[in-house]
Amino acid sequence: MSANKFKVGDKIKVHKGLIADKYYDDVRCDSAMARMGGVVLTIDCVRSGYYEVKECVFCWSDEMLEPAEKTLDNLCRGDMIRDSHDDTRKILAALDGCYLLNYGGNEDATGDWYTVAELKKLDYQVFNPNSPKATVEIDGKKYNRADVEKVIKDLEPIE
């Protein structure tokens, strides 16, 4: 089994309920690892079959980890995304890094399939309807979208 679900720099969370001395994708779970359920870690190195993280010396497999937060790379059915024009879309289906989005204002009307690259090019971001503020990610850091737009509105575009 190869470790390929995550990449260096990804924030991941240890699955809750890991069992000590059990093997997950050929990686043995230590008793200390089993107690780390819910802890957020950072992928430091991707090896053949496992990951190394910055925060501890243990090795981890895909089966032991989950994304710490939603990104365009790990969306599921029912998740929401929004572009810079406040066009909000719902993920109706997810398959191998491609997403079927809803169409128009109808949450259940089928639209088109998009790849992660296409969504990024169209400036879509993960949207949590319960979140009080929309955000923009720049160099791995999140900022309030309204603050960023306010600061850059008077900048001259490069042609």
Side-chain angles (χ1 to χ4, degrees), residues 25 71 91 110-111 120 138 148:
D25 291 333
T71 67
I91 307 299
T110 304
K120 288 179 180 179
I138 302 171
V148 171

PDB file of all heavy atoms in Angstrom, residues 25 71 91 110-111 120 138 148:
ATOM      1  N   ASP A  25      -2.914  -0.408   6.950  1.00  0.00           N
ATOM      2  CA  ASP A  25      -2.124  -0.316   5.701  1.00  0.00           C
ATOM      3  C   ASP A  25      -0.668  -0.693   5.957  1.00  0.00           C
ATOM      4  O   ASP A  25       0.254   0.002   5.542  1.00  0.00           O
ATOM      5  CB  ASP A  25      -2.183   1.090   5.099  1.00  0.00           C
ATOM      6  CG  ASP A  25      -3.549   1.447   4.551  1.00  0.00           C
ATOM      7  OD1 ASP A  25      -4.288   0.531   4.154  1.00  0.00           O
ATOM      8  OD2 ASP A  25      -3.860   2.654   4.512  1.00  0.00           O
ATOM      9  N   THR A  71     -10.804  21.053   1.900  1.00  0.00           N
ATOM     10  CA  THR A  71     -10.164  21.806   0.823  1.00  0.00           C
ATOM     11  C   THR A  71     -10.821  21.350  -0.473  1.00  0.00           C
ATOM     12  O   THR A  71     -11.601  20.396  -0.475  1.00  0.00           O
ATOM     13  CB  THR A  71      -8.649  21.518   0.749  1.00  0.00           C
ATOM     14  OG1 THR A  71      -8.456  20.155   0.351  1.00  0.00           O
ATOM     15  CG2 THR A  71      -7.954  21.790   2.073  1.00  0.00           C
ATOM     16  N   ILE A  91     -21.906  20.279  -3.838  1.00  0.00           N
ATOM     17  CA  ILE A  91     -21.326  19.064  -4.403  1.00  0.00           C
ATOM     18  C   ILE A  91     -22.399  17.978  -4.358  1.00  0.00           C
ATOM     19  O   ILE A  91     -22.842  17.573  -3.286  1.00  0.00           O
ATOM     20  CB  ILE A  91     -20.076  18.606  -3.614  1.00  0.00           C
ATOM     21  CG1 ILE A  91     -19.052  19.726  -3.477  1.00  0.00           C
ATOM     22  CG2 ILE A  91     -19.479  17.351  -4.235  1.00  0.00           C
ATOM     23  CD1 ILE A  91     -18.501  20.269  -4.760  1.00  0.00           C
ATOM     24  N   THR A 110     -28.937  18.955 -11.394  1.00  0.00           N
ATOM     25  CA  THR A 110     -27.600  18.536 -11.804  1.00  0.00           C
ATOM     26  C   THR A 110     -26.977  19.512 -12.790  1.00  0.00           C
ATOM     27  O   THR A 110     -27.590  19.867 -13.785  1.00  0.00           O
ATOM     28  CB  THR A 110     -27.663  17.139 -12.451  1.00  0.00           C
ATOM     29  OG1 THR A 110     -28.263  16.246 -11.523  1.00  0.00           O
ATOM     30  CG2 THR A 110     -26.283  16.648 -12.807  1.00  0.00           C
ATOM     31  N   GLY A 111     -25.740  19.915 -12.482  1.00  0.00           N
ATOM     32  CA  GLY A 111     -24.985  20.789 -13.372  1.00  0.00           C
ATOM     33  C   GLY A 111     -23.912  19.994 -14.093  1.00  0.00           C
ATOM     34  O   GLY A 111     -24.191  18.929 -14.633  1.00  0.00           O
ATOM     35  N   LYS A 120     -10.223  25.418  -9.012  1.00  0.00           N
ATOM     36  CA  LYS A 120      -9.222  26.397  -8.573  1.00  0.00           C
ATOM     37  C   LYS A 120      -9.085  27.522  -9.595  1.00  0.00           C
ATOM     38  O   LYS A 120      -9.004  28.687  -9.230  1.00  0.00           O
ATOM     39  CB  LYS A 120      -7.878  25.712  -8.343  1.00  0.00           C
ATOM     40  CG  LYS A 120      -7.865  24.846  -7.096  1.00  0.00           C
ATOM     41  CD  LYS A 120      -6.536  24.147  -6.893  1.00  0.00           C
ATOM     42  CE  LYS A 120      -6.570  23.302  -5.637  1.00  0.00           C
ATOM     43  NZ  LYS A 120      -5.312  22.578  -5.420  1.00  0.00           N
ATOM     44  N   ILE A 138      -4.130  32.521   0.784  1.00  0.00           N
ATOM     45  CA  ILE A 138      -2.958  33.018   0.068  1.00  0.00           C
ATOM     46  C   ILE A 138      -1.731  32.424   0.745  1.00  0.00           C
ATOM     47  O   ILE A 138      -1.537  32.607   1.950  1.00  0.00           O
ATOM     48  CB  ILE A 138      -2.883  34.563   0.099  1.00  0.00           C
ATOM     49  CG1 ILE A 138      -4.148  35.174  -0.513  1.00  0.00           C
ATOM     50  CG2 ILE A 138      -1.624  35.057  -0.623  1.00  0.00           C
ATOM     51  CD1 ILE A 138      -4.270  36.677  -0.332  1.00  0.00           C
ATOM     52  N   VAL A 148      -9.387  41.502   2.396  1.00  0.00           N
ATOM     53  CA  VAL A 148      -8.470  41.421   1.250  1.00  0.00           C
ATOM     54  C   VAL A 148      -8.976  42.288   0.103  1.00  0.00           C
ATOM     55  O   VAL A 148      -8.221  43.058  -0.491  1.00  0.00           O
ATOM     56  CB  VAL A 148      -8.295  39.952   0.793  1.00  0.00           C
ATOM     57  CG1 VAL A 148      -7.521  39.879  -0.515  1.00  0.00           C
ATOM     58  CG2 VAL A 148      -7.609  39.136   1.873  1.00  0.00           C
TER      59      VAL A 148
END
